[in-house]
């Protein structure tokens, strides 16, 4: 280990040997390794961002599931913890940026892993757009002046959808700028934002519970369930929980920038999901108990913003909503960062168009600038769909969940195959010399349940329910938006892979021709 002095500009981190461990996978250390344990936790927690996502989708869950939609929360949390446990094992063994792509490729083959990474990064870009749209749920409730277009702030109205797109684009300009500056600046904003979000979430929970108007028994009522019976309410109501509890793999995504990633990333993946799951569940329960009314229709339209301002008063309610705005901004930043690392990782392997440019890291900032611009521009383009129809709000939200769930299954599936073959090993030690995180004998049952859960939720979320995706009728493309978007993503991926394969073959053909003595005439 290099001895450093106070005069060094960038002293070697305590785990400088990690540069060599990264080289074991064939990569140089280009990204600056400056993130500690809390920063790693913040990467996963801010992607999940309970304040962003719960406030964004609470109204939807309640409108279609009634109070009973609360019980979809613990069910989804358990399912995602199974997936996270599998990811924790992989983060310890493959501490590399582009986690889903890298893990799937090394567990199966490059082609399968490429499609996992391709679906994941497209999904992440859609998540960036969906997170930015969340500002519309909160900012007009703080001050009517934030409604720049029209006078109806509801995201499902024409003016609300258009205003959501404008606010979202402004936020994307800011997050793209931060993602270009320096990873230490990005990490600082992330840590401060996550701390503010945790404090704000705790305050919201305590204050709402102290203003409860009913007992927890209300959560057994279906209310205005979309489909008859408890199962229908839970299946559609689970969209809220499914949208919230994604992105915990971001702690693994940032492995190349984290100190002691083999030890840190597995633990922060699990703690980020568990803590977000606990806080989010309590917020939903507290919101249901403190809502002024469960039957006046406002809870299914205005959601938690209505509960805060009505139950706690305009002053306190709006102050807490400001904290939610901070959480939304930090979440959008974190999701964009994760997408940038995925693009960088795939481009570094020469697996994307314009790979040389996308894989370039600014040596001063330690940031890949081109991916940040690509993600920002594409996410902003998706926001323009909101001008076409308010139904785009929900279509964008559910599409990104399906994309990520499918990508997750493309990791847990090959991992299960490796376990059944006996080729997935628990051997190895982390940076402190302790055994790598392992599920041990629970590996196969946990993996089986994680895969089955992921596939079931993918189908549930993508199912083209007209009453959910096209309630007004006349927009069949929104009803089938998720399926069509996924199909187009796969087709574009296939076309690119075929074109790339032909280019590689054509480039190799002259070399084979010149190297073959039979092609030369006898002398």
């Amino acid at each position: 280990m290099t001895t450093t002095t106070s005069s060094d500009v960038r002293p070697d981190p305590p785990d400088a040997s990690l540069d060599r461990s990264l080289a074991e996978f064939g990569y140089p250390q280009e990204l600056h390794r400056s993130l500690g344990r809390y920063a790693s936790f913040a990467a996963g927690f801010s992607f999940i961002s309970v304040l962003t996502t719960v406030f964004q989708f609470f109204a939807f869950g309640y409108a279609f599931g009634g109070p009973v939609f609360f019980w979809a929360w613990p069910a989804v949390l358990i399912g995602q913890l199974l997936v996270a446990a599998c990811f924790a094992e992989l983060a310890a063994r493959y501490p590399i940026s582009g986690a889903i792509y890298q893990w799937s490729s090394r567990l199966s083959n490059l082609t399968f892993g490429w499609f996992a990474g391709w679906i994941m990064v497209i999904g992440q870009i859609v998540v960036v757009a969906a997170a930015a749209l969340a500002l519309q749920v909160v900012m007009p409730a703080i001050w009517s002046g934030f409604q720049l277009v029209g006078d109806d702030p509801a995201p499902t109205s024409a003016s609300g959808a258009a205003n959501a797109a404008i606010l979202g684009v402004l936020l994307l300009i800011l997050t793209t700028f931060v993602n270009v500056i320096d990873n230490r600046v990005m990490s600082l904003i992330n840590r401060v934002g996550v701390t503010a979000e945790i404090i704000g979430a705790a305050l919201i929970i305590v204050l709402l519970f102290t203003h409860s108007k009913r007992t927890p028994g209300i959560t057994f009522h279906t209310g205005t369930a979309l489909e008859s019976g408890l199962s229908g309410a839970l299946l559609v109501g689970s969209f809220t929980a499914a949208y919230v509890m994604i992105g915990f793999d971001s702690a693994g995504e940032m492995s190349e920038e984290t100190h002691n990633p083999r030890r840190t990333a597995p633990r922060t993946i699990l703690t980020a999901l568990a803590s977000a799951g606990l806080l989010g569940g309590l917020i939903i329960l507290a919101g249901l108990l403190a809502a002024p009314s469960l039957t006046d229709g406002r809870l299914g339209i205005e959601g938690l913003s209505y509960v805060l301002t009505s139950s706690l008063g305009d002053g306190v309610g709006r102050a807490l909503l400001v904290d939610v705005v901070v959480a939304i901004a930090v979440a959008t930043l974190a999701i964009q960062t994760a997408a940038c690392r995925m693009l960088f990782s795939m481009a570094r392997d020469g697996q994307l168009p314009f790979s040389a440019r996308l894989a370039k890291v600014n040596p001063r900032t330690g940031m890949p600038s081109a991916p940040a611009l690509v993600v920002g521009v594409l996410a902003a383009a998706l926001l323009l769909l909101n001008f076409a129809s308010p139904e785009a709000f929900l279509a964008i939200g559910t599409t990104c969940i399906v994309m990520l769930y499918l990508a997750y299954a493309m990791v847990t599936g090959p991992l299960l195959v490796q376990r059944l073959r006996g080729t997935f090993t628990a051997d190895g030690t982390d940076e402190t010399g302790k055994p790598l995180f392992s599920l041990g004998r629970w590996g196969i049952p946990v993996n089986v349940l994680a895969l089955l859960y992921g596939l079931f939720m993918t189908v549930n979320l993508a199912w083209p329910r007209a009453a959910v995706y096209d309630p007004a009728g006349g927009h069949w493309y929104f009803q089938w938006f998720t399926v069509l978007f996924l199909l187009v993503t796969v087709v574009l991926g296939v076309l690119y892979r075929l074109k790339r394969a032909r280019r590689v073959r054509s480039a190799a053909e002259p070399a084979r021709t010149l190297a073959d003595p039979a092609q030369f005439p006898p002398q």
Side-chain angles (χ1 to χ4, degrees):
M1 183 178 296
T2 304
T3 302
T4 62
T5 67
S6 59
S7 61
D8 290 330
V9 176
R10 287 188 61 85
D12 290 340
D15 54 334
S17 60
L18 288 176
D19 293 1
R20 293 191 295 274
S21 76
L22 185 59
E24 293 174 10
F25 297 104
Y27 302 116
Q29 182 71 45
E30 295 181 281
L31 304 175
H32 293 176
R33 199 178 288 279
S34 60
L35 308 185
R37 182 176 300 178
Y38 188 67
S40 177
F41 165 82
F45 188 92
S46 56
F47 193 125
I48 300 170
S49 187
V50 288
L51 290 186
T52 300
T53 46
V54 169
F55 271 77
Q56 187 175 10
F57 266 70
F58 179 94
F60 171 82
Y62 183 81
F64 287 107
V68 78
F69 96 97
F70 165 78
W71 293 106
W73 189 273
V76 171
L77 176 58
I78 292 171
Q80 289 295 67
L81 281 172
L82 296 171
V83 177
C86 295
F87 284 7
E89 285 188 304
L90 295 172
R93 288 154 183 79
Y94 307 111
I96 316 173
S97 292
I100 299 298
Y101 157 69
Q102 293 285 352
W103 298 343
S104 183
S105 297
R106 294 170 191 278
L107 291 169
S108 54
N109 56 63
L110 181 58
T111 299
F112 188 84
W114 185 90
F115 275 99
W118 174 247
I119 291 172
M120 182 69 182
V121 75
I122 299 298
Q124 286 173 325
I125 292 171
V126 182
V127 179
V128 173
L133 286 174
L135 286 178
Q136 181 62 25
V137 183
V138 182
M139 292 187 71
I142 297 174
W143 178 49
S144 60
F146 288 125
Q147 184 65 34
L148 307 175
V149 178
D151 55 6
D152 188 350
T156 53
S157 68
S159 61
N163 198 67
I166 295 173
L167 294 177
V169 169
L170 293 175
L171 176 57
L172 287 175
I173 293 173
L174 176 62
T175 58
T176 301
F177 176 70
V178 174
N179 259 307
V180 171
I181 298 176
D182 191 288
N183 75 336
R184 288 169 295 184
V185 175
M186 177 271 297
S187 175
L188 176 62
I189 294 174
N190 230 7
R191 296 196 307 273
V192 172
V194 164
T195 302
E197 180 172 5
I198 293 174
I199 294 172
L203 284 174
I204 289 172
I205 291 168
V206 171
L207 291 174
L208 288 183
F209 271 127
T210 59
H211 288 74
S212 294
K213 301 182 183 302
R214 53 192 65 86
T215 66
I218 193 65
T219 58
F220 292 98
H221 295 197
T222 55
T224 55
L226 170 68
E227 301 176 33
S228 59
L230 180 63
S231 60
L234 289 175
L235 286 174
V236 180
S238 67
F239 285 25
T240 299
Y243 181 68
V244 175
M245 288 181 273
I246 54 175
F248 45 84
D249 53 292
S250 292
E253 197 74 66
M254 304 298 289
S255 287
E256 290 184 31
E257 296 156 84
T258 304
H259 297 309
N260 300 321
R262 292 182 187 273
R263 180 168 181 78
T264 301
R267 286 156 179 79
T268 51
I269 285 174
L270 291 170
T271 54
L273 176 59
S275 56
L278 175 62
L279 288 173
L282 290 175
I283 290 173
I284 289 179
L285 178 60
L288 290 171
L289 300 186
S293 172
L294 299 180
T295 58
D296 64 0
R298 294 186 66 183
L299 197 58
I301 298 175
E302 301 174 54
L304 284 175
S305 298
Y306 152 68
V307 178
L308 284 189
T309 54
S310 299
S311 301
L312 306 180
D314 281 348
V316 176
R318 289 178 181 177
L320 291 172
L321 289 179
V322 170
D323 189 63
V324 177
V325 171
V326 173
I328 293 171
V330 172
T332 306
L333 172 65
I335 300 166
Q336 187 174 4
T337 301
C340 292
R341 297 306 178 269
M342 179 67 75
L343 280 177
F344 163 75
S345 183
M346 296 181 72
R348 181 172 56 182
D349 288 351
Q351 297 297 315
L352 291 174
F354 311 106
S355 285
R357 185 69 187 90
L358 291 172
K360 186 176 179 59
V361 176
N362 186 317
R364 181 183 61 83
T365 65
M367 303 284 272
S369 301
L373 296 173
V374 170
V375 174
V377 170
L378 292 179
L382 278 173
L383 292 183
L384 298 181
L385 287 173
N386 255 35
F387 286 102
S389 174
E391 278 78 16
F393 178 84
L394 181 59
I396 292 173
T398 52
T399 297
C400 67
I401 316 172
V402 170
M403 300 285 281
L404 266 63
Y405 264 77
L406 182 57
Y408 287 174
M410 294 177 75
V411 173
T412 55
L415 177 59
L416 179 59
V417 172
Q418 294 288 345
R419 290 188 198 277
L420 295 176
R421 290 176 176 173
T423 52
F424 183 74
T425 177
D427 296 338
T429 58
D430 61 26
E431 297 83 3
T432 65
K434 296 181 179 179
L436 296 176
F437 178 89
S438 175
L439 293 174
R441 62 180 181 177
W442 292 98
I444 290 180
V446 167
N447 202 156
V448 168
L449 292 174
L451 178 60
L452 292 177
Y453 160 78
L455 293 175
F456 170 78
M457 283 300 293
T458 299
V459 174
N460 177 41
L461 293 164
W463 199 263
R465 299 174 175 91
V468 174
Y469 298 115
D470 187 23
H475 299 93
W476 65 269
Y477 43 86
F478 278 124
Q479 179 182 345
W480 291 88
F481 185 86
T482 298
V483 176
L484 293 173
F485 192 92
L486 180 59
L487 180 62
V488 170
T489 299
V490 172
V491 169
L492 289 176
V494 170
L495 292 176
Y496 171 72
R497 295 292 293 181
L498 291 174
K499 181 179 179 180
R500 184 174 182 275
R502 286 196 298 269
R503 187 169 64 249
V504 171
R505 284 197 299 270
S506 62
E509 187 62 33
R512 287 197 298 270
T513 302
L514 293 175
D516 186 356
Q519 300 295 322
F520 292 90
Q523 300 294 322

